[in-house]
Amino acid sequence: MNIIKKILDKYGKESRISLFLIEFCDLDIKKYYPELSAEEFRVIKTKANKSFLYYRISFLCLLYIGLDLVFITNDLGLTKENKMYYLIFFNVLFLLSICSAVKANKKNKEKISQQVQLLAHQEQREAMMKSWESWPEQENGDPVALEKQLRELIDSKHEIIRVQDNLSPEELTVIYLTEKELGEKNGYFPVIVQLSIDLMEFAADRKNEPDNSEQMDATEFQKKAIEEHLKDYEEGDVLGSDDKEGEDLLAAHIGKREEAEGPKINTLNYLQEKGKLVLVRFHVNKPDEIFTQISPDDGDGAPAPYVHRLNARIWNEKYGAVPCFVSYDIVSYYVPKPVDEESSYQLALEHDAYCIDIVGQCDLTVWNHAKSIEQSHFWEFWWD
């Protein structure tokens, strides 16, 4: 490390030899220059990446020209036909090498982008820590007091980080995805929690309540929940209609596949006026265990905590979905890859049975919702 630092200091961070060294050795430049901002880091790593690609392609070109000259200027005892075969072989090899270099460069750009996002988030978090204490008391409660209450309610191994006020959905999404990447490396699941008196009171009431969801069959539970939910529509119980009206109600609720359209949800949306935000690093083995620590208030129509756990368990096993946002009446999930068309309808039924509002309140059908989750990285549920 000392030798590398001496080279970087002697020639400068952005000299040709330094840039080549940074990329060739895949150096963490932040380790040598911790004072670099995210933007300065991006500039240096981007230049190093371009420089290394230039040298790599230049070397391949020189190698190709050298091999061509060998065939042209030397009598290798080969027939013209054999020479042609060798030249074709080296041409193909050269093109494949160029394609490999370009592909590696593209992957490296993505890696640099992720690193820059992580550094930007760390800088932003430092600013957040300084500004959070000045938040005034609100209708939803004093955020400092609520944060203290949350620390007392959840296990001490979980970390709480304050989140700056008035972030856009895009900014909050970057923060969450960056934390998720960190969590995968360090063994925790990040969740944005919106502080409010209702959420804290419900968490306190449920803290010592027994949870038997570990012994329950999540698949069987979901199957029965869907059957009962659709039966309510079919019998007209949802709107108090008679059986005949209920049949029409069920058909309208399901909708038609060929007419279905749904919104794309690829940012983490929230309502700032409902309370201030913190990011909790839940050090749990499985994401469904998050709901043993905190969950929406079932007094607003949300399911009991064990229902959240059962759904979270099976959605994580099937789709890699993890809870990413919790407030007193909202739960959001992040899924790394949108669900395919083959699975979306069944999942939409599971969502509908879990939270009736996501279809009914938005004038959607189950098929509309299926189309939405085919193109979305976030699932939103609310109970009000």
Side-chain angles (χ1 to χ4, degrees), residues 44-58:
I44 292 173
K45 289 291 283 185
T46 300
K47 285 183 178 179
N49 186 51
K50 287 181 179 178
S51 176
F52 188 66
L53 179 65
Y54 169 78
Y55 285 122
R56 191 172 179 180
I57 292 179
S58 297

Side-chain angles (χ1 to χ4, degrees), residues 30 39 76 94 114 119 121 132 162 176 180 189 207 216 232 240 246 265 297 300 327 357 380:
K30 256 295 208 183
E39 179 59 24
L76 301 176
F94 171 70
Q114 291 172 353
L119 290 173
H121 167 57
W132 208 79
R162 296 167 176 177
Y176 170 73
K180 185 176 182 297
F189 294 94
K207 185 173 183 181
M216 297 177 69
D232 286 342
I265 306 173
D297 184 352
D300 282 318
S327 75
D357 291 345
E380 298 178 349

Side-chain angles (χ1 to χ4, degrees), residues 230-253:
L230 295 182
K231 187 177 179 181
D232 286 342
Y233 269 96
E234 191 172 11
E235 294 179 350
D237 288 348
V238 175
L239 298 178
S241 306
D242 59 32
D243 291 351
K244 187 177 180 180
E245 290 177 341
E247 291 175 6
D248 295 336
L249 185 64
L250 176 61
H253 180 68

